[in-house]
Amino acid sequence: MNLIGRFYFKQTENGNLIGEFSNNFTDENITECANIKSTFEKKNKFIGSYATAWLENSAKSLILKIEYKTENKEIFKLTWTNPNNNEIIFYGEGFIVDKILIGDYRDFE
């Protein structure tokens, strides 16, 4: 069975992310945070690379890359990769509402 989930991220003044997620294998919302690793530009909210961390039975950590999916810069493409081998673990898309990035993610392309 494929994993399908949803998330939201709020951005701090320093460019880091805090939020929550859940998926079809969870029965609760789980906290996720991400520290910005690329240059943070206030005009390009959320765009960049992040080191993510969350607790789900054990501590998990991946690299999150957020980039524009569409030319009009309204929809974002997100990929979570394993930092050891650059394998994509999760794919996602999102958009901003009231300064919050909300979207979906899955373990298949």
Side-chain angles (χ1 to χ4, degrees):
M1 179 184 238
N2 290 324
L3 181 140
I4 302 171
R6 76 274 324 142
F7 69 89
Y8 77 85
F9 282 124
K10 292 182 178 184
Q11 194 165 50
T12 69
E13 289 294 320
N14 296 315
N16 299 314
L17 306 177
I18 54 173
E20 294 178 315
F21 71 93
S22 63
N23 58 55
N24 55 319
F25 295 115
T26 63
D27 60 358
E28 63 184 347
N29 295 326
I30 299 170
T31 302
E32 181 174 3
C33 62
N35 291 328
I36 187 83
K37 292 297 179 191
S38 59
T39 303
F40 172 62
E41 296 179 32
K42 291 191 178 199
K43 67 178 180 171
N44 295 323
K45 292 280 189 185
F46 296 98
I47 297 298
S49 295
Y50 301 83
T52 65
W54 69 94
L55 293 173
E56 188 178 15
N57 298 324
S58 63
K60 310 283 187 191
S61 181
L62 295 174
I63 299 300
L64 168 61
K65 182 177 180 183
I66 303 175
E67 55 193 324
Y68 294 116
K69 179 182 179 190
T70 57
E71 287 183 30
N72 65 2
K73 300 180 180 179
E74 294 291 324
I75 299 175
F76 297 86
K77 173 184 168 185
L78 294 87
T79 52
W80 287 259
T81 59
N82 182 327
N84 299 319
N85 60 13
N86 291 326
E87 175 188 9
I88 297 176
I89 306 300
F90 301 118
Y91 301 84
E93 294 183 5
F95 60 96
I96 297 175
V97 176
D98 292 332
K99 299 181 183 179
I100 298 171
L101 177 61
I102 60 170
D104 66 271
Y105 71 100
R106 60 202 176 281
D107 63 359
F108 56 93
E109 195 164 7

